[in-house]
Amino acid sequence: MTSAEGAVLENLPDGLWATRYVGARFPGSPQVAATPGLAEGANCQLFAYEVLRWFGFAPPDLRSSELWADAEFTERVDAARPYDLVLFNATQNPWGAHVGICAGEDQILHLCAEVGRPAVWSWQDFKTRPRYQTLIGTKRVIRRLPASGA
């Protein structure tokens, strides 16, 4: 395992691990506009974007089909590496796809409705569930947040 692979899970703060799954809290939703952040819960997309922001990336606040089409903030890649976004669905349709983050060679961190909290699954774990059996693809966020400093 490379240091980047271990860094995703090892450096994730407890607050992110405690995020509850709330499907109505998605990027652009009225609930998120009224109360930003993860304290009130999140869907898979909102969670994934906040995790990436924690690590200095600047993902766009897009729904899954918009994310898949985006070429300004992300790029499609053939092989996932740590911090890449992965999209799963029952079919190849990116609309309504589930979004997770590659955390290592066989680790996908995602906010899971089935579990109600963040979970780490293998690629095979997704394949065995009909609603996630199709890997739509992988997107790499190509923008970083500005460095903070004095």
Side-chain angles (χ1 to χ4, degrees), residues 69-88:
D70 173 69
E72 181 179 351
F73 295 91
T74 63
E75 63 185 1
R76 293 181 187 183
V77 293
D78 293 329
R81 67 181 191 204
Y83 307 106
D84 286 347
L85 296 164
V86 290
L87 288 82
F88 297 94

Side-chain angles (χ1 to χ4, degrees), residues 19-27 32 38 41-53 59-65 67 85-89 94-101 108-114 116-119 126 131-132:
T19 304
R20 292 178 302 112
Y21 181 87
V22 178
R25 290 189 50 82
F26 55 85
V32 172
L38 301 179
N43 81 337
C44 62
Q45 298 151 359
L46 187 62
F47 174 76
Y49 299 158
E50 288 302 315
V51 168
L52 289 180
R53 286 184 185 107
D61 284 321
L62 300 174
R63 300 302 306 271
S64 54
S65 56
L67 171 64
L85 296 164
V86 290
L87 288 82
F88 297 94
N89 209 347
W95 191 91
H98 184 63
V99 177
I101 300 167
I108 306 297
L109 170 66
H110 63 119
L111 185 55
C112 178
E114 187 176 316
R117 300 262 181 217
F126 285 93
R131 69 191 282 191
Y132 305 132

